[in-house]
Amino acid sequence: MIKTINKRINKINRAIGLDLVIKEPSKEVLTMNQWINAAATVTCVSLGIVYSSKVLLGLGALSAAGMAIVQLEKKK
C-alpha cells in the first residue's frame, strides 16, 4: 500500500513539475514507526481510560490501526 501511494505521488509530482521524489521506507524505518505507534497506542488508550476521554481512545485506536498496517507492509 505504501509503495502504491508513493508511486502515485511521485507520478503527480512529475506531472506538475516538482523535482521531489518520495523514497520507499526501509525495514528499519518501518520497525521504528511500528514501535512509535505502539507507544502512542498504549499512552492514548491508558490516558483515555483514566480520564474517560473518547478522543484519546479514538487516537489510540488509530495508532493501533497504523501499527497493524506497518506490520503488513513489513511482511511484503
Side-chain angles (χ1 to χ4, degrees):
M1 185 163 92
I2 291 174
K3 291 179 184 179
T4 305
I5 292 171
N6 285 350
K7 285 180 185 178
R8 288 182 183 168
I9 291 173
N10 287 336
K11 186 176 179 181
I12 291 169
N13 285 344
R14 281 191 304 271
I16 62 175
L18 289 177
D19 291 333
L20 179 68
V21 176
I22 299 175
K23 297 179 185 177
E24 293 189 24
S26 65
K27 294 276 186 182
E28 293 82 19
V29 170
L30 291 174
T31 302
M32 183 174 34
N33 190 345
Q34 190 175 10
W35 281 106
I36 291 169
N37 276 332
T41 299
V42 170
T43 303
C44 289
V45 169
S46 299
L47 290 174
I49 291 171
V50 170
Y51 294 113
S52 301
S53 173
K54 292 180 183 176
V55 173
L56 285 173
L57 288 173
L59 287 174
L62 287 174
S63 294
M67 189 172 59
I69 290 171
V70 169
Q71 179 65 30
L72 291 174
E73 287 295 322
K74 277 178 43 176
K75 288 183 180 180
K76 290 183 180 179

